[in-house]
Amino acid sequence: MAATIKDVARACGVHVSTVSRTFSAPHLVNPATRSRVLATADDLGYRPNRAARALTTGRTFNMGLVVADIANPFFPPLIKAAQAQARGRDYHVFVADTDEDPRVEEELIRTFTKQVDGVLLCSPRLSNRMIERLAEDVPFVVVNRRIKGMPAVLMNVAQGAKHALEHLTGLGHRRIALVSGPIGSWTSNEMQGVAAEAPGLDLIFFGPNQPTEAGGLAVAADVAACGATAVLAYNDLVALGLIEGLSAMEIGVPDQVSVIGFDDILPGRLNRPKLTTVAMPAAAAGRMAVDLLLQSGGEGATVTLDTALIVRESTGRAQ
């Protein structure tokens, strides 16, 4: 016969409730006791019945994680970190990709509503009003969007943009192009807000744009024609597409135009020139989003994570 929770408790010399908490809320169990219970359960071949637990607790022990584009190298570290953090709390994570489409995003969230205990919404494309409406049916934690009264994990884009612009102005750049992302992007708004307050700059704004390499490639000719000596791009993919487009027009980076991205994805480190970028703490954001969703009293809490400028080869002195 299959081992039961009572068998595990008897073998460990603990109460049945301790075994139950080990699987349902492991953070509430003494680490030594937790390790002993898990080892005993493994030896006996005990596996908790998730369906039965859901009926008794009213929880599914599942959470949804919705990302804007799973093909973007920025998201996999966030996804893996969130999954690992959730697994440690005995939760499963259902991952969904909206393909940058707000209609798909809304459809996926509505599908998740009855199947999960909450949703991590990463770089959403829906309006704040729609997200607030959907949050009436399922708890949310939003990553990189500030919505009043809703738990959020924010990566400090303003801090990163400020450091990026200071780096460019320190190199003598004054005419700077800002290449933004999709319509309604919180990241784009943060970048533009910082740039608009920077003194002594001649700024040119281009957007909205696809947040992809193709988006950067498409805007390259306009950037070249505007006479900017430096560019701050929405993300690394846009920056890499822009460098590709400038190179095709025989405009050198950084000899003629300096380029900075956001995210610090692997392709940026492998590119030639290696991309100067603002590193975004994607993995830390994934872990923190899970914690905010599961912790009691997390409603409305906001956590802001630091970003960091990484100077590589795609920026140089203004000519």
Side-chain angles (χ1 to χ4, degrees), residues 26 33 146 305 311:
T33 303
R146 191 188 298 274
L305 303 175
V311 178

Side-chain angles (χ1 to χ4, degrees), residues 192-276:
Q192 292 175 4
V194 170
E197 294 178 0
L201 296 183
D202 183 9
L203 299 170
I204 311 98
F205 295 92
F206 293 98
N209 300 284
Q210 295 180 50
T212 61
E213 188 175 355
L217 192 60
V219 78
D222 291 334
V223 170
C226 80
T229 62
V231 182
L232 184 57
Y234 171 77
N235 65 14
D236 285 355
L237 290 179
V238 171
L240 293 174
L242 178 63
I243 291 173
E244 181 183 353
L246 293 174
S247 178
M249 292 180 283
E250 299 185 348
I251 298 174
V253 174
D255 294 341
Q256 294 168 273
V257 177
S258 289
V259 178
I260 299 180
F262 268 80
D263 290 347
D264 190 29
I265 60 175
L266 179 60
R269 299 170 225 161
L270 302 178
N271 191 65
R272 293 297 180 270
K274 294 181 180 180
L275 185 64
T276 295

Side-chain angles (χ1 to χ4, degrees), residues 35-263:
S35 297
R36 191 167 80 253
V37 170
L38 291 175
T40 302
D42 191 54
D43 290 342
L44 296 178
Y46 171 73
R47 296 291 182 270
N49 186 322
R50 298 180 70 87
R53 188 149 47 110
L55 287 173
T56 58
T57 64
R59 290 184 290 166
T60 66
F61 295 92
N62 300 320
M63 64 179 67
L65 196 165
V66 180
V67 299
D69 180 8
I70 204 167
N72 184 334
F74 168 77
F75 287 109
L78 186 153
I79 293 169
K80 287 181 69 66
Q83 286 181 323
Q85 193 79 351
R87 195 178 302 120
R89 306 286 289 272
D90 200 30
Y91 266 75
H92 291 165
V93 177
F94 300 155
V95 180
D97 173 19
T98 71
D99 201 26
E100 300 285 352
D101 188 331
R103 290 173 298 180
V104 173
E105 188 170 44
E106 180 184 352
E107 179 182 321
L108 286 169
I109 292 169
R110 292 191 185 280
T111 300
F112 274 153
T113 297
K114 302 300 181 183
Q115 303 177 48
V116 300
D117 297 330
V119 174
L120 311 179
L121 192 55
C122 304
S123 300
R125 303 304 180 219
L126 287 168
S127 68
N128 286 5
R129 180 175 298 179
M130 178 55 72
I131 293 172
E132 289 168 340
R133 189 176 303 165
L134 293 168
E136 295 173 1
D137 298 322
V138 64
F140 277 131
V141 171
V142 185
V143 178
N144 271 8
R145 175 77 71 86
R146 191 188 298 274
I147 302 175
K148 186 177 180 181
M150 193 170 295
V153 179
L154 305 176
M155 297 176 228
N156 201 333
V157 173
Q159 176 191 54
K162 181 175 182 291
H163 290 164
L165 290 171
E166 287 173 349
H167 173 61
L168 292 175
T169 56
L171 293 171
H173 297 281
R174 293 295 180 270
R175 188 168 175 80
I176 299 174
L178 264 72
V179 178
S180 65
I183 293 174
S185 163
W186 177 82
T187 297
S188 291
N189 292 339
E190 290 290 291
M191 289 170 54
Q192 292 175 4
V194 170
E197 294 178 0
L201 296 183
D202 183 9
L203 299 170
I204 311 98
F205 295 92
F206 293 98
N209 300 284
Q210 295 180 50
T212 61
E213 188 175 355
L217 192 60
V219 78
D222 291 334
V223 170
C226 80
T229 62
V231 182
L232 184 57
Y234 171 77
N235 65 14
D236 285 355
L237 290 179
V238 171
L240 293 174
L242 178 63
I243 291 173
E244 181 183 353
L246 293 174
S247 178
M249 292 180 283
E250 299 185 348
I251 298 174
V253 174
D255 294 341
Q256 294 168 273
V257 177
S258 289
V259 178
I260 299 180
F262 268 80
D263 290 347

